[in-house]
Amino acid sequence: MNPWIPYPAEVIEKRREALRVHTLRLRIRDEAIRRAYRFRPGQFNMIYVFGTGEVPISIVSDPDESGFLDHTIRVVGKMTAALVGLKEGDTVGLRGPYGSWWPLEEARGMDVVIVTGGLGCAPVVSVINYVAHRRDRYGRLKIFHGVKTPKDLLYRARFRAWQKHPDTEVYLTVDHPDREWKYKVGVVTNLFRQVRIDARKSAVMMCGPEGMMKSAVRDLRAQGVPADRIYLSLERNMKCAIGFCGHCQYGPRFICKDGPVLRFDQIQEWFGKDEL
Amino acid sequence: MPILDRNSLDLLFDALKRRGFNLVGPTLHDGAIVYDALASTADLPVGWTDEQEGGRYRVKKRADEALFGYAVGPRSWKKFLFQPVQRLWQARREGEGFRIIPEEEKPPKWAFIGVRSCELHAIAIQDKVFISGPAPDSSYPTQRKDLFIIAVNCGQAGGTCFCVSMNTGPKATAGYDLVLTEVLEPARLAIGADRHYFVVEVGTDRGAEVLRDVPHTEATEQENAAAERVVEKTASQMGRTLDTTDIKNLLYRNFEHPRWDEVATRCLTCANCTMVCPTCFCSTVEDVTDLTGEHAERWRKWDSCFTMDFSYIHGGTVRSSVKSRYRQWMTHKLATWIDQFGTSGCVGCGRCITWCPVGIDITEEVRAIRETEK
């Protein structure tokens, strides 16, 4: 089995989420590969656009919804622009799934605390959906989400929908509000001073800018959340996703195969170091 | 142990060629000793040696006709096993989508001649990266398959060598089919005339089988002792030393240290050290199309952690300062590598010192950090 070979997948649906953000629903063309494909929330695929390149994109759909894979993509450069420029019926190459996953088994019976900032939302959407569809397995679901401006709020409709879910709390905050903004103002970690988190029975899963995660970890640790119950999804440059290219090194870890989801106590001595 | 005379070495080459092996080994090219195709022992750098220091490499004539009387040059064997530029696959537009055409991988049947002990260790390290990971690479295992290795115990150490410190030489201990120790005895020591012979140790059944095709004798006690002395002398001549005591924790503790700022004032981030290093494995990929847009290819190329692009993610480069890039390279090589692959990434070959245009010396950098640790 040649790990470099992508398999063709069809864009079966394209949905606009926000300014320059789209979700592509992909369907692997080969039936045998499609049936065999299994992933867990938090993992990612390498998606190839013919002649343009390949990028890692996290999977946001539910692992039990078979037959398709959703990827939410924000245009940040040439590759993501090419992906978002695709139409329904177009073909991409797909390799995956790669990497580690969110601790959804370990978190059974606990409160699930989601902390995301900026555009880090996409990798945790899979967790929120997963918990929402299996409500009896978990305690309360608390979602903390901070963005720069109201314009950057992805999934506005989904947040509203989540807010109505049983045992679910959604806290939104922006650094720079506009006149219509009716939620909180300030960085996401301010919210921890206003909302109680049960340190004894919470599993925290976070994704977003490293500066935000650093403050969030510090505040959560101060509230008594154990280091081994905080999980982070990290991002680094990635060319191969299979541990050969060396680009995604994070101290001794390779984000592609040891991550992207890492438990805080396992990266504690490296986390937050400048230019690591 | 078996013993081959100088002329029988060509018969050994012939025995490998008859078995379909392509011979590669050291040869003099553009003023350096590099690894390339060999037809016979005449292609070896007969009677040449090298001088190496930080940022300095020169070849010069020896007083004798030694075949392996030099240290390692700018190329390493990774050039063959992990190719510098390589096509991974092609794709062709077809109907609604495209079809991927994988590369056909044919085992090249290499016979490497003159592999040094440090380089055997380097190959074993790259094996861990490309074969033992979660998914073996598409190409490396094929290049590696059937590889026949004739190692050579070093007859002299280079000015930048420190294999004794890294516990990787100068005597080959594993990973070869045959290993030679070259012995040159001037007439005054030998009986009658100058003597030039090779004491052979067999590493594998395959090695023994090839050796049976070549006329050889059993070494006398004196000849075995002479071979031992060659290795002992080399071990005592190391140009550099590196204290590896607790080196992983030393570098983990000193992620912040003024020495990183100091070395950054000298480092040109040229990436030479990573290109000549026999274990550095980083690569990048490039996707290209032809003018019709119907045909696309994906290529893999050696890459280096010294470039800005290497750690680029949207919004910027993670390691933008020179300090952080040198620190990444050296900390990876000597420390994080141990956590990743259970071995140091450094084999003490000294290439990064010799081929650094400003002569930055990894052994000196470690010493500076160790001696000035708070």
Side-chain angles (χ1 to χ4, degrees), chain B residues 223-357:
Chain B
E223 285 162 339
N224 280 333
E228 286 299 316
R229 277 197 303 277
V230 167
V231 176
E232 280 162 23
K233 188 182 87 210
T234 305
S236 70
Q237 285 175 338
M238 290 288 126
R240 295 288 195 278
T241 57
L242 193 157
D243 177 3
T244 60
T245 313
D246 197 31
I247 193 157
K248 187 181 99 174
N249 293 317
L250 174 78
L251 294 177
Y252 281 12
R253 279 198 304 273
N254 288 287
F255 185 81
E256 294 300 339
H257 188 285
R259 186 67 183 193
W260 301 120
D261 296 299
E262 195 282 323
V263 70
T265 64
R266 291 175 284 137
C267 174
L268 308 174
T269 66
C270 72
N272 259 17
C273 50
T274 54
M275 297 293 110
V276 296
C277 176
T279 67
C280 271
F281 59 82
C282 287
S283 63
T284 188
V285 290
E286 272 180 29
D287 291 281
V288 295
T289 49
D290 65 4
L291 287 174
T292 67
E294 296 297 303
H295 174 242
E297 297 184 346
R298 163 160 279 219
W299 289 76
R300 167 163 77 182
K301 298 180 172 179
W302 285 1
D303 201 3
S304 171
C305 54
F306 281 93
T307 72
M308 286 281 268
D309 273 356
F310 188 84
S311 62
Y312 182 85
I313 40 177
H314 58 87
T317 292
V318 173
R319 290 179 215 109
S320 54
S321 70
V322 174
K323 158 191 164 174
S324 70
R325 283 177 266 155
Y326 187 84
R327 178 175 62 196
Q328 165 62 24
W329 176 72
M330 194 174 107
T331 307
H332 184 214
K333 193 66 44 190
L334 295 172
T336 51
W337 207 299
I338 297 170
D339 275 341
Q340 292 170 349
F341 301 104
T343 166
S344 174
C346 177
V347 296
C349 71
R351 285 181 176 94
C352 58
I353 306 171
T354 300
W355 295 95
C356 174

Side-chain angles (χ1 to χ4, degrees), chain A residues 1-6 8 29 48 50-54 74 76 89-93 95 235-237 239 242-247 249 251-254 257 269-270 273-276, chain B residues 88-89 91 93 96-98 100 129 135-138 252 255 281-285 287 289 293-294 296 298 300 303 309-310 312-314 318-321 324 327-328 332 336 339-340:
Chain A
M1 184 68 188
N2 183 335
W4 286 101
I5 305 288
R29 286 193 188 267
Y48 168 73
F50 186 85
T52 305
E54 195 182 45
R74 176 179 175 258
V76 289
D90 283 347
T91 299
V92 294
R95 295 191 289 136
E235 188 183 358
R236 281 294 180 272
N237 186 309
K239 297 292 182 194
I242 41 186
F244 299 145
C245 79
H247 283 247
Q249 286 178 79
R253 312 269 169 184
F254 291 90
K257 56 179 187 181
E269 61 180 309
W270 302 97
K273 286 192 168 163
D274 207 26
E275 294 195 284
L276 174 64
Chain B
L88 293 170
W89 46 259
R93 280 198 193 279
E96 296 293 293
F98 53 85
I100 303 280
V129 176
D137 183 45
S138 58
Y252 281 12
F255 185 81
F281 59 82
C282 287
S283 63
T284 188
V285 290
D287 291 281
T289 49
E294 296 297 303
R298 163 160 279 219
R300 167 163 77 182
D303 201 3
D309 273 356
F310 188 84
Y312 182 85
I313 40 177
H314 58 87
V318 173
R319 290 179 215 109
S320 54
S321 70
S324 70
R327 178 175 62 196
Q328 165 62 24
H332 184 214
T336 51
D339 275 341
Q340 292 170 349

Side-chain angles (χ1 to χ4, degrees), chain B residues 176-215:
Chain B
Y176 54 81
D177 294 290
L178 296 171
V179 57
L180 313 177
T181 306
E182 181 173 35
V183 184
L184 293 127
E185 285 172 353
R188 63 189 163 78
L189 291 177
I191 305 148
D194 287 359
R195 288 197 66 212
H196 188 182
Y197 59 92
F198 297 90
V199 174
V200 187
E201 285 168 70
V202 176
T204 61
D205 292 345
R206 214 162 56 131
E209 192 268 323
V210 171
L211 189 63
R212 275 199 291 277
D213 270 16
V214 184

